[in-house]
Amino acid sequence: MTENSQQPQPAPTTELPTQYTPAEVEGQLYERWVERGYFEADAKSDKPPYTVVIPPPNVTGSLHLGHAFEHTLIDALTRRKRMQGHETLWQPGMDHAGIATQNVVERELGKEGKSRHDLGREAFVERVWQWKAESGGQISGQMRRLGDGVAWSRERFTMDEGLSQAVQTIFKRLYDDELIYRAERIINWCPRCLTAISDIEVEYQDDDGELVSMKYGEGDETIVVATTRAETMLGDTAVAVHPEDERYKHLVGKLIKLPLTGRSIPVVADEHVDPEFGTGAVKVTPAHDPNDFEIGQRHNLPAIAVMDEHAVITAHGPFQGLDRLEARSAIVAALRAEGRIVAEKRPYIHSVGHCSRCKTTIEPRLSMQWWVKVGPLAKAAGDAVRDGRVTIHPQEMEKRYFDWVDNLHDWCISRQLWWGHRIPVWYGPAGEVVCVGPDEEPPSGEGWHQDPDVLDTWFSSGLWPFSTLGWPEQTESLAKFYPNSVLVTGYDILFFWVARMMMFGLYAMDGTPPFHTIALHGMVRDQNGKKMSKSFGNVVNPLDWMDKYGSDALRFTLARGANPGVDVPIGEDWVQGSRNFANKIWNATRFALMNGATVQGPLPDASKMSSTDRWILSRLNSVVAEVDAYYEDYQFAKLSDALFHFAWDEVFDWYVELSKTTFQAGGEAAEVSQRVLGEVLDVTLRLLHPVVPFVTETLWTTLTGGESVVIAEWPTDSGFRDADAEREIETLQSVITEVRRFRADQGLQPGQRVPARLTLAGSALAAHEAAVRQLLRLQPEGDAFTATATLPVAGVEVALDLSGVIDFAAERKRLAKDLAAAEKEKAQANAKLGNEAFLAKAPDQVVDKIRGRLAKADEDIARITAQLEKLPEA
């Protein structure tokens, strides 16, 4: 059925341990794969390329379930493409993670009673490199545990020399093209990390604060404004009202007294103000609010900074030196003492920005920073999706992408850190500004100095798809493996990372986007759908589950939950179920080998096969086609589910069981089925391999004697179908299933044998009588056979003699008692649901519960009645 079946194979060993123990095989298998170079990629190869970059994990990080999920999907894609004959590159590496890494090392210094300033910049950066060498990158070892098939020889780090050259090159080009500039604007400032952060690094959450309404001015020239940040009033330079607001027209252009400061500020008219919100008047603090900054620009207002980098008040007066929160209370108290507090609302729940790294409340702050002019870059990124050069999957995620790139603000790229790519700009003694490229010497001499800031981490990771391949050099790897085939990443970093790569890739690579497809997945959640968080106590270390159940079990659970763009719930019970699946594959393959399953020689002609053989081969090829279609559509959950049910239900529970009588009988029919079973297992193991690589490697090499399933051919659909055989086996399945159900209803034990007469003459099922009797534990009818129950199913008749195994009188009595209980339950439920007074008062969940009880009672009555009808009279 596949090319593999036509090639002579070395004779396999048929010995497998009685139990599969993942810990005994996974580590050594992975190291063997790496040593043999299976995951490496050759730029000189004439095979078609297939390239995926790893979303570079932080050097400070360790494997979490989100990594395990994403890596499982990427590994499945790349393993399949490798088997399909592609020159496959899964590019590994790590991100230097500027803020996070600097925080880690600063904490280490703190334990020694030192700060980075005690060391100085050069020594501190050296200390960070030392930390990376000793402690960073533990995630690499954990990726090996998971089975990541990455090209380790190509591993890169965003602070590598080559990647640093790429960063400097693109900065210089953007600067020369006037797409990078320096300007004083409002930025998001973290008083804990002491750096600017971009808009997308701010996390908003509802905080419990206060809304204070306060009166500015005197007498008839008073105006009330409200704020949640009373401390910023020290930096107010105007009050703004809407131009059409009749209440304040007489004040526009006048100066009013700003309390506590001794200053007077103007009332300005600006259309930004919503006259329907609050009092219709807003305080304007250009140095501490982005909207106020824009108002200030329009009205030429001064910007007065009243806080330093630590969010401590610097304005002269009694509040100087207070932390912003201390100052907030003190200022409200002072205003209250002057009779200027009109209203106070506590608690006041409102959305507040927090640093995504340390969770500190962000402080908007006027600051001189470096910016990327994103307008033309973002337009190119949007056009690439609109014109079809890049496909977003699932398609409904396109709207989120366009909403972002079509409304991007200029990107603040400078960070007030020491760890990272330093901005390649030098300042001269006479105000000169020189941007230096990677092959240029920086200016020197008295008074020249380099900008102290470093670049946002996302600046360098935005170059990842091509910088890792050697850009700006025109390397063989760049020519072979760019653009990437697909980017697999979470929808949560669509804005952080994906948009950056799109902008930079299109700019640097002459309009060629960095990837053909963006395949977005959801976030991993707990089994109740709740976000995993340390504060919730539901965070799971994937290594714990891998230790307990094996890496394959974790991978299969994650893949089976991976619907495109949808969050993935996961619980330990599900991982345990996947472990059971791995054990099922193991035990079924072991049984097959013990019964002569083989891949030796070509498949027998279909005319020599039984209908059972033709059925399973027909189903096998359908599944090959189905799995291929799901892979092309990134439907990991559906392909995993299809493989699970085919392997467990059809191969192991039906084909293997139906073939047992054939194997026992021996002869030519057994030899045919042995070869068919070998073929089915060979193909099934290859289909399963990308998702569960370890157990399939052990089983496939044992079955086939092949070198490794990693480099085996991916199965192809031969086109073989046998609709008649499929119908025949479906009928057989329905007969066996119905009789099993009847046996269970009568309380028979699974292994209990019952005399039976099978009327199969003239039916396609006649050839299966031995298998039917074995599967259903049916003895041949004896001389004293009495048909006490007859089951007509799918055109055949199964008569059972239950007289020696069931006390019919006792069974009727038991069922009658159960029926009476079910009817009583139904009557009680109907009575309550028919009581209007009860329905008016009862909560919805109580009513729903009673409706559920009624439905269950109806089901029980129908089931018990059917059982009674099938029982013979005592």
Side-chain angles (χ1 to χ4, degrees):
M1 297 298 103
T2 67
E3 291 183 26
N4 188 67
S5 65
Q6 304 302 320
Q7 299 172 356
Q9 299 290 324
T13 173
T14 59
E15 294 184 5
L16 282 172
T18 55
Q19 286 187 320
Y20 175 52
T21 308
E24 293 180 1
V25 301
E26 290 180 350
Q28 61 183 3
L29 281 182
Y30 188 84
E31 290 310 313
R32 186 190 307 162
W33 293 335
V34 173
E35 288 167 6
R36 292 179 177 177
Y38 293 155
F39 304 140
E40 296 303 322
D42 183 3
K44 293 182 171 64
S45 167
D46 58 2
K47 296 178 182 178
Y50 187 80
T51 316
V52 185
V53 292
I54 195 170
N58 287 353
V59 68
T60 58
S62 60
L63 189 75
H64 56 65
L65 272 176
H67 289 130
F69 173 54
E70 186 168 79
H71 291 198
T72 294
L73 305 187
I74 300 174
D75 197 41
L77 290 174
T78 53
R79 283 178 183 269
R80 172 175 174 262
K81 285 296 181 180
R82 190 177 293 111
M83 295 171 76
Q84 286 182 318
H86 289 255
E87 194 62 37
T88 303
L89 170 60
W90 183 8
Q91 173 66 53
M94 287 183 292
D95 192 283
H96 65 278
I99 295 176
T101 306
Q102 180 156 321
N103 282 346
V104 167
V105 178
E106 286 198 78
R107 281 196 297 271
E108 293 295 316
L109 284 174
K111 296 175 184 177
E112 303 170 14
K114 297 178 182 178
S115 74
R116 60 179 164 127
H117 300 285
D118 294 324
L119 272 66
R121 183 169 193 143
E122 187 174 336
F124 176 77
V125 170
E126 182 59 36
R127 180 69 176 260
V128 180
W129 278 108
Q130 180 184 337
W131 175 87
K132 177 188 179 293
E134 295 173 356
S135 307
Q138 63 173 316
I139 198 171
S140 296
Q142 296 164 346
M143 288 164 58
R144 292 170 181 264
R145 282 286 313 278
L146 189 65
D148 286 5
V150 299
W152 286 113
S153 69
R154 292 172 172 266
E155 186 175 12
R156 303 305 298 268
F157 180 55
T158 51
M159 290 281 284
D160 284 350
E161 182 178 347
L163 272 66
S164 295
Q165 182 183 25
V167 168
Q168 198 171 349
T169 298
I170 201 161
F171 187 100
K172 171 70 171 174
R173 291 187 187 179
L174 289 165
Y175 181 86
D176 290 345
D177 286 344
E178 298 183 349
L179 293 172
I180 282 182
Y181 63 95
R182 192 169 184 242
E184 188 176 45
R185 291 187 178 177
I186 292 285
I187 48 90
N188 304 298
W189 181 263
C190 176
R192 161 63 183 81
C193 297
L194 298 180
T195 182
I197 63 175
S198 65
D199 290 345
I200 54 177
E201 293 171 296
V202 178
E203 293 179 348
Y204 287 90
Q205 66 184 48
D206 288 340
D207 283 3
D208 184 356
E210 62 180 352
L211 181 66
V212 179
S213 299
M214 47 197 181
K215 182 170 61 176
Y216 288 5
E218 301 290 353
D220 293 336
E221 296 182 351
T222 61
I223 196 164
V224 175
V225 297
T227 182
T228 57
R229 300 163 66 217
E231 68 279 8
T232 63
M233 60 87 58
L234 300 175
D236 286 359
T237 56
V239 170
V241 298
H242 193 274
E244 304 301 322
D245 195 330
E246 294 294 335
R247 294 170 295 175
Y248 302 117
K249 277 193 173 182
H250 68 289
L251 291 177
V252 173
K254 292 187 176 181
L255 296 175
I256 60 173
K257 182 179 179 182
L258 178 65
L260 306 181
T261 65
R263 291 190 290 114
S264 293
I265 57 176
V267 177
V268 299
D270 194 281
E271 291 188 352
H272 169 77
V273 179
D274 180 0
E276 302 299 322
F277 183 77
T279 64
V282 297
K283 58 190 288 297
V284 181
T285 321
H288 292 279
D289 184 275
N291 293 323
D292 293 2
F293 177 79
E294 298 296 331
I295 294 174
Q297 292 289 98
R298 288 194 288 272
H299 298 277
N300 296 314
L301 300 174
I304 302 173
V306 297
M307 279 180 252
D308 67 11
E309 60 185 7
H310 298 280
V312 171
I313 301 297
T314 57
H316 294 298
F319 313 108
Q320 188 173 8
L322 294 179
D323 172 80
R324 55 181 167 170
L325 299 181
E326 296 172 332
R328 183 175 300 170
S329 299
I331 286 171
V332 170
L335 290 168
R336 191 183 298 113
E338 289 191 4
R340 292 189 172 274
I341 298 297
V342 176
E344 296 178 72
K345 185 175 181 181
R346 295 189 187 89
Y348 180 72
I349 307 301
H350 62 130
S351 182
V352 177
H354 295 259
C355 173
S356 62
R357 305 290 181 184
C358 70
K359 312 309 176 187
T360 301
T361 300
I362 288 301
E363 189 62 47
R365 185 169 187 245
L366 187 63
S367 180
M368 182 67 76
Q369 301 285 344
W370 285 95
W371 304 80
V372 171
K373 183 180 179 182
V374 299
L377 302 174
K379 182 181 184 303
D383 290 345
V385 174
R386 287 188 170 96
D387 63 24
R389 281 175 289 159
V390 178
T391 301
I392 293 179
H393 188 89
Q395 188 175 4
E396 54 264 28
M397 287 287 179
E398 279 188 4
K399 183 179 185 303
R400 295 181 66 171
Y401 177 79
F402 291 135
D403 285 347
W404 180 254
V405 297
D406 293 347
N407 297 286
L408 268 179
H409 298 296
D410 284 0
W411 173 19
C412 177
I413 56 172
S414 45
R415 299 291 180 268
Q416 289 64 56
L417 304 170
W418 287 357
W419 172 245
H421 294 283
R422 196 163 172 184
I423 288 176
V425 171
W426 272 255
Y427 305 108
E432 302 96 331
V433 179
V434 177
C435 180
V436 177
D439 300 320
E440 300 172 350
E441 287 293 324
S444 58
E446 186 177 350
W448 283 94
H449 63 282
Q450 187 177 0
D451 193 298
D453 291 350
V454 300
L455 287 163
D456 178 9
T457 295
W458 297 103
F459 191 96
S460 52
S461 60
L463 313 181
W464 192 246
F466 51 94
S467 64
T468 52
L469 298 173
W471 186 91
E473 301 299 324
Q474 297 304 305
T475 64
E476 286 183 319
S477 289
L478 188 65
K480 177 74 174 179
F481 296 113
Y482 186 92
N484 285 199
S485 306
V486 61
L487 173 73
V488 180
T489 192
Y491 64 71
D492 55 318
I493 59 171
L494 181 62
F495 318 129
F496 285 88
W497 190 44
V498 180
R500 309 299 192 212
M501 288 189 290
M502 286 286 283
M503 291 191 295
F504 282 165
L506 289 159
Y507 175 79
M509 300 300 292
D510 299 321
T512 301
F515 18 74
H516 297 301
T517 301
I518 301 168
L520 298 171
H521 58 71
M523 299 172 66
V524 179
R525 297 181 177 271
D526 73 11
Q527 62 190 32
N528 299 312
K530 194 172 185 180
K531 181 179 179 181
M532 288 192 173
S533 166
K534 290 180 181 178
S535 61
F536 296 153
N538 61 352
V539 173
V540 174
N541 183 346
L543 296 174
D544 292 341
W545 282 351
M546 287 193 280
D547 289 342
K548 194 170 182 179
Y549 303 110
S551 298
D552 284 333
L554 176 64
R555 289 171 61 115
F556 192 72
T557 305
L558 291 166
R560 205 172 176 194
N563 291 296
V566 179
D567 289 346
V568 183
I570 184 172
E572 185 169 1
D573 288 351
W574 305 340
V575 185
Q576 185 175 352
S578 295
R579 189 272 312 273
N580 295 344
F581 179 52
N583 289 342
K584 183 78 169 181
I585 302 170
W586 183 273
N587 292 333
T589 305
R590 186 169 177 272
F591 167 85
L593 290 169
M594 291 170 63
N595 282 274
T598 180
V599 297
Q600 301 302 306
L603 276 172
D605 188 84
S607 62
K608 296 182 179 180
M609 296 180 188
S610 68
S611 56
T612 309
D613 294 330
R614 296 195 305 276
W615 161 71
I616 197 63
L617 289 174
S618 181
R619 288 292 305 125
L620 177 67
N621 279 284
S622 294
V623 169
V624 169
E626 187 179 4
V627 168
D628 272 334
Y630 285 143
Y631 262 115
E632 295 304 315
D633 199 33
Y634 304 98
Q635 297 279 1
F636 296 97
K638 290 182 178 179
L639 71 89
S640 299
D641 213 46
L643 287 170
F644 174 87
H645 287 294
F646 175 70
W648 192 309
D649 301 344
E650 298 186 78
V651 179
F652 305 148
D653 279 359
W654 283 108
Y655 181 70
V656 168
E657 293 298 320
L658 288 170
S659 300
K660 282 182 178 178
T661 53
T662 305
F663 293 147
Q664 290 166 0
E668 184 180 359
E671 292 177 2
V672 170
S673 292
Q674 286 166 342
R675 180 64 189 90
V676 170
L677 180 54
E679 176 75 7
V680 171
L681 285 175
D682 169 23
V683 173
T684 302
L685 290 170
R686 283 187 278 149
L687 289 173
L688 282 165
H689 172 71
V691 182
V692 284
F694 294 107
V695 67
T696 52
E697 172 78 343
T698 304
L699 295 175
W700 187 86
T701 53
T702 303
L703 171 71
T704 68
E707 179 184 338
S708 172
V709 70
V710 176
I711 54 172
E713 291 183 13
W714 181 252
T716 55
D717 175 11
S718 70
F720 177 81
R721 300 290 190 277
D722 192 321
D724 291 339
E726 290 197 36
R727 280 192 295 271
E728 180 178 321
I729 301 304
E730 285 171 8
T731 302
L732 177 63
Q733 289 171 331
S734 66
V735 169
I736 293 172
T737 300
E738 184 59 30
V739 176
R740 279 176 173 166
R741 184 182 296 117
F742 176 77
R743 287 177 56 111
D745 287 345
Q746 304 310 313
L748 296 178
Q749 295 300 313
Q752 192 170 2
R753 293 195 165 274
V754 177
R757 176 190 299 139
L758 305 182
T759 307
L760 303 176
S763 164
L765 303 188
H768 300 285
E769 180 167 351
V772 170
R773 287 189 176 277
Q774 180 164 311
L775 289 174
L776 292 174
R777 304 294 189 268
L778 302 179
Q779 296 175 196
E781 56 186 294
D783 294 337
F785 179 83
T786 302
T788 59
T790 302
L791 304 175
V793 186
V796 302
E797 191 173 88
V798 179
L800 304 174
D801 183 354
L802 304 177
S803 56
V805 292
I806 294 180
D807 182 337
F808 295 124
E811 184 65 10
R812 277 192 169 277
K813 187 176 180 180
R814 182 185 70 80
L815 289 173
K817 183 178 179 181
D818 291 346
L819 181 61
E823 288 173 337
K824 181 180 179 182
E825 175 74 1
K826 178 177 180 178
Q828 290 175 340
N830 273 327
K832 286 190 175 181
L833 294 173
N835 185 333
E836 294 295 335
F838 169 78
L839 293 177
K841 294 178 181 179
D844 290 345
Q845 60 267 32
V846 172
V847 175
D848 289 342
K849 187 175 181 180
I850 293 171
R851 287 185 177 131
R853 284 168 49 192
L854 176 60
K856 175 68 165 54
D858 281 333
E859 290 174 7
D860 289 344
I861 290 168
R863 175 179 55 80
I864 296 168
T865 301
Q867 290 176 244
L868 283 167
E869 289 173 353
K870 290 177 182 177
L871 275 180
E873 294 297 330

